[in-house]
Amino acid sequence: MARKSVPLPQEDLELTPSEEFVPALLDDARLVDLETEEESPFLRAQKRVSVRRGSIPKKTASRLRLAAIAFAGLTMVGLIAVFSYRYGMHSWRFTIESSDDIEVTGNQNVPRAQLMEVLGGDIGRNLFFVPLAERQQQLEQIPWVGSATVMRFLPNRLKVEIQERKPVAFARIGSRIALIDANGVVMELPPTSHAKYSFPVLVGMGESEPLSTRAARMKIYSDVIRQLDAGGANYSQDLSEVDLSDTDDVKVTVNDPSGTVLVHLGSTNYLNRFKIYVAHVGDWRQQFQKLQSVDLRYDRQIIVNPDSRLSHDKPLSAPAVRAALAAGVKPAALTASDLKRGGMSVGAASKWSAKSSTAKTTVSKTKYAKSAAPKKHGARRAGRHHRRKAHVVAGQD
């Protein structure tokens, strides 16, 4: 007998999942968690700890803190600097009250009054408002000042250090005699100096010639002096004048015991040519009654008395002559026309020259030369004959 199938209730049909219902069950988040988070019974359960993080990292915070401290320090320093600046600019403590607050050192030939013409304008001024570089340039424009240093000293003092130029010769420029250094800078004779110089007088310097031209002439002069003094000869002490007007023919005036002689040395071999003069000057004086000049520029040929003593266009005035003699200029460098046209008599010049030992020696030597002059009539006639023309002496070396 056939068995009838009994239909299942609707509820049982719903409990049985169909193919369309399985994906819906898999999408349930709770079921997925149960499957994925299933732990082994043999492992300890891990406890999750929540970490609370700040908005700025520690490293950045540390840098910001250091920057704030530095900014505060700079602000403090700036405030102190502003306060100090305002105090220094306006306080009476930093005012230069008088010339006693200006100290000058190193000036021997530059009068303090001449320096105060530059620095005197800073009296009554605040120390910090004194332009040091400008004052240094103004001081170095003074001929005697080679270099200058101007310094501030708190609270209200200026200190000036002067390096003076070193003169190496006298120079006859126009109607005056001045001092000159190795670079050609001309300096006036110091009015109150106690120093006595034994330099020769340089001639041939123009009043309006540039410094570069004088510097070139001074190089020649330095070479002449160096050669004449080589080996301890010190022949430069016998020179009263050096003519540098012609650089190809340096002429020196020798203050010989028997009278001054103009010697042509040319442009080279100054020492060798001057030694020829020293070796034969005695013979020439015996041969010629009046020895005025000697030309030594030519090899194995000497010209005696080719010209007379140097003549100067402008005479020296009486004050210039007195100042020159007081500074140590040798009387042989001053001609009789200088003394006459300058307003001084021979007696007055002798008094001025007697103030230095060099001048005394020169005057006594001149007197001896006059007394030693030959007195025979033949010699006088021969002397007059020789003064009319130059004489060539050959074969002397």
Side-chain angles (χ1 to χ4, degrees), residues 86-117:
R86 291 184 176 179
Y87 178 75
M89 294 298 103
H90 302 286
S91 176
W92 59 269
R93 296 180 181 273
F94 304 101
T95 302
I96 302 175
E97 297 179 354
S98 66
S99 60
D100 295 335
D101 297 326
I102 302 176
E103 180 184 357
V104 180
T105 59
N107 61 315
Q108 297 180 354
N109 298 301
V110 186
R112 180 180 172 86
Q114 188 175 7
L115 298 175
M116 291 307 298
E117 292 178 1

Side-chain angles (χ1 to χ4, degrees), residues 5-217:
S5 59
V6 182
L8 295 174
Q10 186 68 26
E11 297 178 357
D12 294 337
L13 293 174
E14 293 178 357
L15 291 175
T16 303
S18 61
E19 293 179 1
E20 293 81 7
F21 189 69
V22 172
L25 294 177
L26 293 176
D27 291 338
D28 193 343
R30 289 177 296 175
L31 293 177
V32 173
D33 290 339
L34 289 175
E35 292 178 0
T36 57
E37 295 182 3
E38 186 176 352
E39 298 179 354
S40 173
F42 301 103
L43 297 176
R44 174 184 288 181
Q46 295 180 355
K47 185 178 180 180
R48 296 181 179 181
V49 179
S50 60
V51 178
R52 185 176 181 181
R53 297 181 178 179
S55 58
I56 302 176
K58 282 186 176 182
K59 195 171 184 180
T60 305
S62 176
R63 291 178 177 177
L64 291 175
R65 190 179 302 109
L66 292 176
I69 294 173
F71 177 77
L74 291 176
T75 303
M76 184 64 67
V77 172
L79 292 175
I80 294 174
V82 171
F83 175 78
S84 301
Y85 176 81
R86 291 184 176 179
Y87 178 75
M89 294 298 103
H90 302 286
S91 176
W92 59 269
R93 296 180 181 273
F94 304 101
T95 302
I96 302 175
E97 297 179 354
S98 66
S99 60
D100 295 335
D101 297 326
I102 302 176
E103 180 184 357
V104 180
T105 59
N107 61 315
Q108 297 180 354
N109 298 301
V110 186
R112 180 180 172 86
Q114 188 175 7
L115 298 175
M116 291 307 298
E117 292 178 1
V118 177
L119 303 170
D122 294 323
I123 297 176
R125 179 174 295 177
N126 188 289
L127 181 69
F128 296 102
F129 284 108
V130 177
L132 301 184
E134 181 180 350
R135 294 294 177 267
Q136 177 181 348
Q137 293 178 357
Q138 292 174 346
L139 289 173
E140 290 177 352
Q141 291 177 359
I142 300 174
W144 266 104
V145 178
S147 62
T149 304
V150 185
M151 298 172 287
R152 296 188 183 97
F153 280 84
L154 296 178
N156 63 338
R157 295 179 65 248
L158 280 179
K159 185 174 181 180
V160 181
E161 294 181 356
I162 300 295
Q163 289 284 342
E164 292 186 344
R165 298 185 184 275
K166 183 179 179 180
V168 296
F170 293 106
R172 181 163 183 155
I173 300 178
S175 59
R176 75 184 195 279
I177 290 181
L179 289 166
I180 191 169
D181 72 346
N183 297 320
V185 178
V186 178
M187 302 159 287
E188 296 297 330
L189 298 177
T192 58
S193 176
H194 298 289
K196 299 290 184 182
Y197 304 100
S198 59
F199 305 134
V201 178
L202 304 184
V203 297
M205 300 282 189
E207 292 187 80
S208 59
E209 73 180 355
L211 180 62
S212 59
T213 303
R214 289 202 300 268
R217 298 184 193 277

